[in-house]
């Protein structure tokens, strides 16, 4: 641009220079994120995949040789199919529970909370003010054998007299549900908040009962939130090991625990093979899920 | 308000009126938000098959009234009857009433076909393809059935909203500022379109608008609303030619309002003293019996005569032209009267007379049968478009 003449520049001149400038700004803005991802995501990922194919007989001290050991994968799946399946089942149950608890909660915050809306939102994210680990440890106390929950359940006959809650699948799923509920509520809140309330009125005006209006208008239009919420809940739950470790025992091992144990034992190739398999399975499941939910265009 | 809102044919009086088969009747309908009465004891009968307009400025309660008829707002008091059946407390989805919303409120996730079929499906109809096709051809959108609302222009979306409501064959169709989002040219076109469709289907249309021209073009009856009550109801012609309040006189078109006194009666005429000029107005155009009044004359009913021209009708005395605006079909004059007030006069450019110039002296005349006399207690600026 030519300084003082800029204000009198013709429209053709400005229209040819501005978009080019904008494009370069766009690339510049992408740069920090791209560098970060390259350094801290792409590099470790490549390393992880490479490690999964190393010679399993090596060690951290002695070093590993790249032997393209595909056997790491078959071996890992042979040994760890059970925690794999359990991990996905627990994560699936926790995700469904999060949806069942989170949808009404988000709906109530958007449509019924009125002036309490912001306070309720703060309460939803309030658990993040303390660490994930501390909160899960707190659940260990809540569900402890001599805690009030177990004694209440025993009185109600929900638990046998010599039964317990800790070290059960119930405790692990409850912990997962608790820990990942905000990740379900927030996207649901966002998509319901964006919903034009007049569409619900229009549905009522067009002979839809409140239940039909919900099924035909509110729910389909909040599907982006449902999909985002279930993904944000399911993916981290499926790889979680803290809940199983603190609230379960060896009978509740999830795949995350197996990977963690293998890494701690120094079996890097096996642990990496399990990690890559977990990642691949999750990507496949998510892809199928998004296709089935029919929300590609809404996402 | 102590204004008489009863219209000449007595339609607004529920006590003496026997509702017809499909008439929509509002009885002392009231909606309060806290201490504020958005709609204040409204009585109204809309005859079946009418194209009825609720006209008023924003915040006058017209949309709230419409929403109470639709069941989207619960009245604080009063009743809504449709064809003699009390629907005051009926759920919106159980009323034979449909709405064309201001923003159209089309379902963005459904195709045009499914949007239009929505009401029929909810009523358990499975044979929707025929009616939907007919309805889409009525609004000339057959080719758009498979598209989503976002792929349509504003005018097309408006027609979808209309089709989606009309397909249910409601007893009453409510239109909430349906043309508000369209540009002027499209609005004019849709006004004629709506009128054509209404005549074709014969459904009662209740049209809420703040656009007086829109209301006058389309409706056969207009109720002018202000501050939660109906100021006056009648045909567009009646409201324009014989307004009963300063609000109606200013909100529909423009009016010259002159400070005057009633000085007596002469046969069927009332004699009014307007700043020294004695003028005669037919008694049925006079709203008060004595005391101070506003004498109203529409600008196009004012005749500017050269001084000395033979006298017919009433004269307000001489004036001086202070401004001349030539607008093609007509010329708009602003004249200053002897008592200092400026009046407007519009004259068609027929070519029969030369256009007058600024500073010319003229005599301001009008026909008493074209003037009206209003209560002086009312604000002379009420309803004036401030833009």
């Amino acid at each position: 641009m030519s300084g003082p003449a800029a204000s009198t520049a013709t429209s053709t001149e400005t229209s040819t220079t501005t978009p080019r400038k904008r494009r370069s700004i766009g690339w510049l803005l992408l740069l920090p994120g791209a560098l970060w991802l390259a350094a801290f995501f792409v590099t470790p990922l490549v390393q992880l995949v490479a490690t999964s194919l190393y010679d399993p007989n090596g060690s951290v001290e002695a070093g590993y040789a790249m032997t393209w050991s595909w056997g790491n994968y078959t071996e890992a799946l042979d040994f760890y199919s059970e925690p794999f399946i359990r991990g996905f089942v627990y994560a699936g149950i926790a995700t469904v529970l999060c949806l069942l608890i989170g949808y009404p909660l988000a709906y109530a915050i958007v449509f019924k909370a009125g002036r309490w809306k912001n306070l309720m939102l703060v309460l939803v994210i309030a658990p993040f003010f303390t660490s994930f680990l501390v909160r899960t440890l707190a659940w260990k106390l809540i569900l402890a054998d001599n805690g009030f929950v177990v004694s209440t359940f025993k009185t109600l006959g929900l638990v046998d007299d010599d039964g317990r809650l800790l070290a059960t699948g119930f405790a692990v799923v409850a912990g997962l549900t608790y820990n990942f509920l905000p990740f379900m509520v927030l996207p649901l809140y966002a998509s319901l908040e964006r919903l034009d309330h007049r569409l619900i009125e229009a549905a009522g005006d067009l002979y839809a009962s409140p239940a039909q209006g919900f099924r035909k208008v509110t729910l389909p239009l909040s599907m982006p939130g449902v999909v985002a919420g279930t993904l944000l809940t399911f993916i981290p739950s499926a790889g979680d090991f803290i809940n199983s470790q603190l609230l379960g025992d060896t009978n509740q091992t999830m795949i995350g625990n197996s990977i963690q144990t293998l890494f701690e034992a120094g079996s890097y190739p096996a642990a990496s093979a399990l990690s890559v398999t977990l990642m691949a399975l999750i990507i496949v499941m998510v892809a199928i899920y998004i296709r089935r939910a029919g929300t590609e265009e809404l996402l | 308000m102590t204004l008489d809102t009863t219209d000449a044919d007595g339609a607004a009086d529920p006590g003496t009126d026997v509702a017809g088969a499909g008439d929509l009747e509002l009885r002392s309908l009231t909606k309060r938000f806290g201490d504020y009465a958005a709609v204040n004891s409204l009585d109204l009968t809309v005859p079946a098959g009418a194209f009825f307009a609720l006209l008023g400025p924003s915040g006058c309660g017209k949309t709230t009234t419409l929403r109470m008829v639709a069941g989207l707002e619960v009245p604080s008091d009063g009743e809504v009857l449709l064809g003699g059946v009390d629907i005051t407390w009926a759920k919106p989805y159980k009323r034979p009433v449909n709405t064309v919303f201001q923003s159209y409120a089309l379902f963005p996730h459904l195709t045009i076909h499914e949007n239009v079929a929505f009401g029929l499906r909810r009523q358990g109809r499975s044979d929707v393809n025929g009616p939907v096709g007919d309805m889409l051809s009525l609004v000339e959108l057959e080719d758009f059935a498979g598209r989503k609302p976002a792929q349509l222009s504003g005018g097309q979306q408006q027609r979808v909203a209309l089709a989606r409501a009309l397909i249910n064959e409601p007893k009453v169709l409510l239109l909430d500022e349906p043309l508000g989002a369209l540009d002027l040219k499209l609005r004019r076109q849709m006004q004629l379109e709506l009128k054509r469709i209404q005549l074709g289907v014969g459904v009662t249309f209740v049209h809420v608008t703040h656009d007086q021209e829109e209301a006058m073009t389309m409706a056969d009856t207009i109720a002018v609303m202000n501050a939660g009550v109906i100021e006056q109801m009648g045909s567009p012609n009646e409201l324009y030619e014989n307004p009963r309040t300063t609000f109606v006189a200013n909100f529909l078109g423009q009016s010259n309002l002159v400070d005057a006194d009633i000085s007596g009666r002469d046969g069927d005429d009332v004699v009014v003293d307007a700043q020294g000029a004695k003028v005669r107005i037919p008694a049925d155009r006079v709203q008060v019996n004595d005391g101070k009044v506003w004498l109203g004359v529409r600008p196009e009913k004012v005749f500017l005569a050269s001084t000395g021209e033979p006298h017919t009708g009433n004269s307000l005395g001489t004036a001086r032209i202070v401004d001349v605006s030539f607008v093609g079909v007509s010329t708009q004059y602003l004249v200053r009267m002897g008592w200092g007030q400026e009046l407007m006069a519009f004259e068609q450019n027929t070519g029969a007379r030369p256009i007058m110039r600024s500073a010319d002296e003229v005599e301001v005349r009008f026909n008493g049968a074209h003037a009206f006399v209003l209560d002086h207690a009312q604000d002379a600026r009420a309803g004036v478009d401030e833009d």
Side-chain angles (χ1 to χ4, degrees), chain A residues 105-124:
Chain A
L105 180 59
Y107 189 92
I109 293 175
V110 171
F111 294 113
K112 310 286 178 194
R115 61 201 180 97
W116 301 107
K117 192 189 256 184
N118 287 335
L119 178 70
M120 290 184 75
L121 270 180
V122 169
L123 290 178
V124 167

PDB file of all heavy atoms in Angstrom, chain A residues 105-124:
ATOM      1  N   LEU A 105     -29.999 -32.856  32.681  1.00  0.00           N
ATOM      2  CA  LEU A 105     -29.327 -31.781  33.409  1.00  0.00           C
ATOM      3  C   LEU A 105     -29.094 -30.575  32.492  1.00  0.00           C
ATOM      4  O   LEU A 105     -29.460 -29.447  32.822  1.00  0.00           O
ATOM      5  CB  LEU A 105     -27.996 -32.301  33.977  1.00  0.00           C
ATOM      6  CG  LEU A 105     -27.163 -31.293  34.766  1.00  0.00           C
ATOM      7  CD1 LEU A 105     -27.942 -30.765  35.951  1.00  0.00           C
ATOM      8  CD2 LEU A 105     -25.862 -31.935  35.230  1.00  0.00           C
ATOM      9  N   ALA A 106     -28.513 -30.841  31.318  1.00  0.00           N
ATOM     10  CA  ALA A 106     -28.247 -29.750  30.374  1.00  0.00           C
ATOM     11  C   ALA A 106     -29.556 -29.092  29.945  1.00  0.00           C
ATOM     12  O   ALA A 106     -29.660 -27.861  29.861  1.00  0.00           O
ATOM     13  CB  ALA A 106     -27.490 -30.277  29.150  1.00  0.00           C
ATOM     14  N   TYR A 107     -30.578 -29.905  29.701  1.00  0.00           N
ATOM     15  CA  TYR A 107     -31.890 -29.379  29.282  1.00  0.00           C
ATOM     16  C   TYR A 107     -32.457 -28.460  30.358  1.00  0.00           C
ATOM     17  O   TYR A 107     -32.942 -27.366  30.071  1.00  0.00           O
ATOM     18  CB  TYR A 107     -32.831 -30.563  29.039  1.00  0.00           C
ATOM     19  CG  TYR A 107     -34.144 -30.181  28.398  1.00  0.00           C
ATOM     20  CD1 TYR A 107     -34.281 -30.195  27.013  1.00  0.00           C
ATOM     21  CD2 TYR A 107     -35.236 -29.814  29.164  1.00  0.00           C
ATOM     22  CE1 TYR A 107     -35.477 -29.837  26.418  1.00  0.00           C
ATOM     23  CE2 TYR A 107     -36.436 -29.459  28.581  1.00  0.00           C
ATOM     24  CZ  TYR A 107     -36.555 -29.473  27.200  1.00  0.00           C
ATOM     25  OH  TYR A 107     -37.725 -29.119  26.615  1.00  0.00           O
ATOM     26  N   ALA A 108     -32.357 -28.916  31.622  1.00  0.00           N
ATOM     27  CA  ALA A 108     -32.882 -28.117  32.729  1.00  0.00           C
ATOM     28  C   ALA A 108     -32.105 -26.814  32.856  1.00  0.00           C
ATOM     29  O   ALA A 108     -32.689 -25.755  33.082  1.00  0.00           O
ATOM     30  CB  ALA A 108     -32.801 -28.908  34.031  1.00  0.00           C
ATOM     31  N   ILE A 109     -30.780 -26.873  32.682  1.00  0.00           N
ATOM     32  CA  ILE A 109     -29.984 -25.645  32.809  1.00  0.00           C
ATOM     33  C   ILE A 109     -30.387 -24.652  31.721  1.00  0.00           C
ATOM     34  O   ILE A 109     -30.576 -23.468  31.976  1.00  0.00           O
ATOM     35  CB  ILE A 109     -28.468 -25.946  32.721  1.00  0.00           C
ATOM     36  CG1 ILE A 109     -28.023 -26.760  33.932  1.00  0.00           C
ATOM     37  CG2 ILE A 109     -27.666 -24.654  32.648  1.00  0.00           C
ATOM     38  CD1 ILE A 109     -26.577 -27.222  33.881  1.00  0.00           C
ATOM     39  N   VAL A 110     -30.582 -25.141  30.498  1.00  0.00           N
ATOM     40  CA  VAL A 110     -30.903 -24.237  29.391  1.00  0.00           C
ATOM     41  C   VAL A 110     -32.322 -23.687  29.509  1.00  0.00           C
ATOM     42  O   VAL A 110     -32.543 -22.489  29.393  1.00  0.00           O
ATOM     43  CB  VAL A 110     -30.716 -24.940  28.030  1.00  0.00           C
ATOM     44  CG1 VAL A 110     -31.261 -24.075  26.903  1.00  0.00           C
ATOM     45  CG2 VAL A 110     -29.254 -25.252  27.803  1.00  0.00           C
ATOM     46  N   PHE A 111     -33.291 -24.571  29.741  1.00  0.00           N
ATOM     47  CA  PHE A 111     -34.692 -24.139  29.610  1.00  0.00           C
ATOM     48  C   PHE A 111     -35.392 -23.815  30.928  1.00  0.00           C
ATOM     49  O   PHE A 111     -36.411 -23.126  30.923  1.00  0.00           O
ATOM     50  CB  PHE A 111     -35.504 -25.199  28.867  1.00  0.00           C
ATOM     51  CG  PHE A 111     -35.074 -25.363  27.430  1.00  0.00           C
ATOM     52  CD1 PHE A 111     -34.472 -26.527  27.008  1.00  0.00           C
ATOM     53  CD2 PHE A 111     -35.257 -24.327  26.519  1.00  0.00           C
ATOM     54  CE1 PHE A 111     -34.069 -26.674  25.691  1.00  0.00           C
ATOM     55  CE2 PHE A 111     -34.844 -24.468  25.212  1.00  0.00           C
ATOM     56  CZ  PHE A 111     -34.249 -25.642  24.792  1.00  0.00           C
ATOM     57  N   LYS A 112     -34.888 -24.354  32.043  1.00  0.00           N
ATOM     58  CA  LYS A 112     -35.647 -24.182  33.282  1.00  0.00           C
ATOM     59  C   LYS A 112     -34.912 -23.396  34.356  1.00  0.00           C
ATOM     60  O   LYS A 112     -35.518 -22.987  35.336  1.00  0.00           O
ATOM     61  CB  LYS A 112     -36.024 -25.564  33.871  1.00  0.00           C
ATOM     62  CG  LYS A 112     -36.678 -26.521  32.893  1.00  0.00           C
ATOM     63  CD  LYS A 112     -38.102 -26.145  32.596  1.00  0.00           C
ATOM     64  CE  LYS A 112     -38.716 -27.086  31.571  1.00  0.00           C
ATOM     65  NZ  LYS A 112     -39.960 -26.565  31.020  1.00  0.00           N
ATOM     66  N   ALA A 113     -33.597 -23.222  34.219  1.00  0.00           N
ATOM     67  CA  ALA A 113     -32.835 -22.670  35.344  1.00  0.00           C
ATOM     68  C   ALA A 113     -33.047 -21.167  35.518  1.00  0.00           C
ATOM     69  O   ALA A 113     -32.859 -20.649  36.606  1.00  0.00           O
ATOM     70  CB  ALA A 113     -31.351 -22.971  35.168  1.00  0.00           C
ATOM     71  N   GLY A 114     -33.459 -20.467  34.449  1.00  0.00           N
ATOM     72  CA  GLY A 114     -33.679 -19.025  34.568  1.00  0.00           C
ATOM     73  C   GLY A 114     -32.428 -18.311  35.037  1.00  0.00           C
ATOM     74  O   GLY A 114     -31.353 -18.484  34.470  1.00  0.00           O
ATOM     75  N   ARG A 115     -32.563 -17.562  36.127  1.00  0.00           N
ATOM     76  CA  ARG A 115     -31.412 -16.767  36.578  1.00  0.00           C
ATOM     77  C   ARG A 115     -30.358 -17.617  37.272  1.00  0.00           C
ATOM     78  O   ARG A 115     -29.295 -17.130  37.609  1.00  0.00           O
ATOM     79  CB  ARG A 115     -31.877 -15.629  37.481  1.00  0.00           C
ATOM     80  CG  ARG A 115     -32.585 -16.081  38.738  1.00  0.00           C
ATOM     81  CD  ARG A 115     -33.449 -14.944  39.297  1.00  0.00           C
ATOM     82  NE  ARG A 115     -34.142 -15.367  40.509  1.00  0.00           N
ATOM     83  CZ  ARG A 115     -33.690 -15.106  41.721  1.00  0.00           C
ATOM     84  NH1 ARG A 115     -32.553 -14.462  41.874  1.00  0.00           N
ATOM     85  NH2 ARG A 115     -34.366 -15.504  42.780  1.00  0.00           N
ATOM     86  N   TRP A 116     -30.662 -18.887  37.539  1.00  0.00           N
ATOM     87  CA  TRP A 116     -29.680 -19.767  38.176  1.00  0.00           C
ATOM     88  C   TRP A 116     -28.767 -20.431  37.151  1.00  0.00           C
ATOM     89  O   TRP A 116     -27.891 -21.222  37.488  1.00  0.00           O
ATOM     90  CB  TRP A 116     -30.386 -20.860  39.000  1.00  0.00           C
ATOM     91  CG  TRP A 116     -31.266 -20.276  40.059  1.00  0.00           C
ATOM     92  CD1 TRP A 116     -32.640 -20.239  40.053  1.00  0.00           C
ATOM     93  CD2 TRP A 116     -30.856 -19.615  41.266  1.00  0.00           C
ATOM     94  NE1 TRP A 116     -33.097 -19.598  41.178  1.00  0.00           N
ATOM     95  CE2 TRP A 116     -32.022 -19.205  41.948  1.00  0.00           C
ATOM     96  CE3 TRP A 116     -29.613 -19.328  41.826  1.00  0.00           C
ATOM     97  CZ2 TRP A 116     -31.986 -18.528  43.157  1.00  0.00           C
ATOM     98  CZ3 TRP A 116     -29.584 -18.654  43.031  1.00  0.00           C
ATOM     99  CH2 TRP A 116     -30.754 -18.262  43.682  1.00  0.00           C
ATOM    100  N   LYS A 117     -29.001 -20.132  35.870  1.00  0.00           N
ATOM    101  CA  LYS A 117     -28.281 -20.799  34.790  1.00  0.00           C
ATOM    102  C   LYS A 117     -26.759 -20.761  34.963  1.00  0.00           C
ATOM    103  O   LYS A 117     -26.090 -21.790  34.960  1.00  0.00           O
ATOM    104  CB  LYS A 117     -28.667 -20.117  33.474  1.00  0.00           C
ATOM    105  CG  LYS A 117     -28.241 -20.862  32.240  1.00  0.00           C
ATOM    106  CD  LYS A 117     -28.473 -19.983  31.020  1.00  0.00           C
ATOM    107  CE  LYS A 117     -29.684 -20.399  30.246  1.00  0.00           C
ATOM    108  NZ  LYS A 117     -29.870 -19.622  29.026  1.00  0.00           N
ATOM    109  N   ASN A 118     -26.224 -19.553  35.180  1.00  0.00           N
ATOM    110  CA  ASN A 118     -24.768 -19.431  35.269  1.00  0.00           C
ATOM    111  C   ASN A 118     -24.217 -20.148  36.489  1.00  0.00           C
ATOM    112  O   ASN A 118     -23.174 -20.796  36.414  1.00  0.00           O
ATOM    113  CB  ASN A 118     -24.359 -17.954  35.290  1.00  0.00           C
ATOM    114  CG  ASN A 118     -24.538 -17.322  33.918  1.00  0.00           C
ATOM    115  OD1 ASN A 118     -24.515 -18.027  32.902  1.00  0.00           O
ATOM    116  ND2 ASN A 118     -24.751 -16.033  33.880  1.00  0.00           N
ATOM    117  N   LEU A 119     -24.948 -20.047  37.611  1.00  0.00           N
ATOM    118  CA  LEU A 119     -24.499 -20.722  38.826  1.00  0.00           C
ATOM    119  C   LEU A 119     -24.445 -22.233  38.586  1.00  0.00           C
ATOM    120  O   LEU A 119     -23.476 -22.910  38.948  1.00  0.00           O
ATOM    121  CB  LEU A 119     -25.453 -20.400  39.982  1.00  0.00           C
ATOM    122  CG  LEU A 119     -25.101 -21.095  41.295  1.00  0.00           C
ATOM    123  CD1 LEU A 119     -23.815 -20.507  41.871  1.00  0.00           C
ATOM    124  CD2 LEU A 119     -26.232 -20.974  42.299  1.00  0.00           C
ATOM    125  N   MET A 120     -25.475 -22.767  37.921  1.00  0.00           N
ATOM    126  CA  MET A 120     -25.517 -24.206  37.672  1.00  0.00           C
ATOM    127  C   MET A 120     -24.377 -24.644  36.757  1.00  0.00           C
ATOM    128  O   MET A 120     -23.785 -25.706  36.943  1.00  0.00           O
ATOM    129  CB  MET A 120     -26.876 -24.607  37.100  1.00  0.00           C
ATOM    130  CG  MET A 120     -27.981 -24.490  38.143  1.00  0.00           C
ATOM    131  SD  MET A 120     -29.583 -25.045  37.554  1.00  0.00           S
ATOM    132  CE  MET A 120     -29.356 -26.813  37.595  1.00  0.00           C
ATOM    133  N   LEU A 121     -24.059 -23.791  35.774  1.00  0.00           N
ATOM    134  CA  LEU A 121     -22.943 -24.122  34.891  1.00  0.00           C
ATOM    135  C   LEU A 121     -21.634 -24.163  35.667  1.00  0.00           C
ATOM    136  O   LEU A 121     -20.795 -25.045  35.461  1.00  0.00           O
ATOM    137  CB  LEU A 121     -22.831 -23.078  33.782  1.00  0.00           C
ATOM    138  CG  LEU A 121     -23.616 -23.359  32.518  1.00  0.00           C
ATOM    139  CD1 LEU A 121     -23.399 -22.241  31.520  1.00  0.00           C
ATOM    140  CD2 LEU A 121     -23.191 -24.691  31.914  1.00  0.00           C
ATOM    141  N   VAL A 122     -21.465 -23.203  36.581  1.00  0.00           N
ATOM    142  CA  VAL A 122     -20.250 -23.190  37.399  1.00  0.00           C
ATOM    143  C   VAL A 122     -20.184 -24.467  38.229  1.00  0.00           C
ATOM    144  O   VAL A 122     -19.132 -25.093  38.352  1.00  0.00           O
ATOM    145  CB  VAL A 122     -20.232 -21.928  38.300  1.00  0.00           C
ATOM    146  CG1 VAL A 122     -19.117 -22.028  39.340  1.00  0.00           C
ATOM    147  CG2 VAL A 122     -20.054 -20.672  37.461  1.00  0.00           C
ATOM    148  N   LEU A 123     -21.348 -24.877  38.766  1.00  0.00           N
ATOM    149  CA  LEU A 123     -21.360 -26.095  39.578  1.00  0.00           C
ATOM    150  C   LEU A 123     -20.970 -27.319  38.751  1.00  0.00           C
ATOM    151  O   LEU A 123     -20.329 -28.237  39.250  1.00  0.00           O
ATOM    152  CB  LEU A 123     -22.744 -26.306  40.205  1.00  0.00           C
ATOM    153  CG  LEU A 123     -23.104 -25.306  41.302  1.00  0.00           C
ATOM    154  CD1 LEU A 123     -24.508 -25.560  41.836  1.00  0.00           C
ATOM    155  CD2 LEU A 123     -22.088 -25.373  42.439  1.00  0.00           C
ATOM    156  N   VAL A 124     -21.368 -27.320  37.469  1.00  0.00           N
ATOM    157  CA  VAL A 124     -21.014 -28.460  36.614  1.00  0.00           C
ATOM    158  C   VAL A 124     -19.499 -28.572  36.450  1.00  0.00           C
ATOM    159  O   VAL A 124     -18.940 -29.667  36.471  1.00  0.00           O
ATOM    160  CB  VAL A 124     -21.704 -28.334  35.233  1.00  0.00           C
ATOM    161  CG1 VAL A 124     -21.113 -29.319  34.241  1.00  0.00           C
ATOM    162  CG2 VAL A 124     -23.202 -28.577  35.374  1.00  0.00           C
TER     163      VAL A 124
END
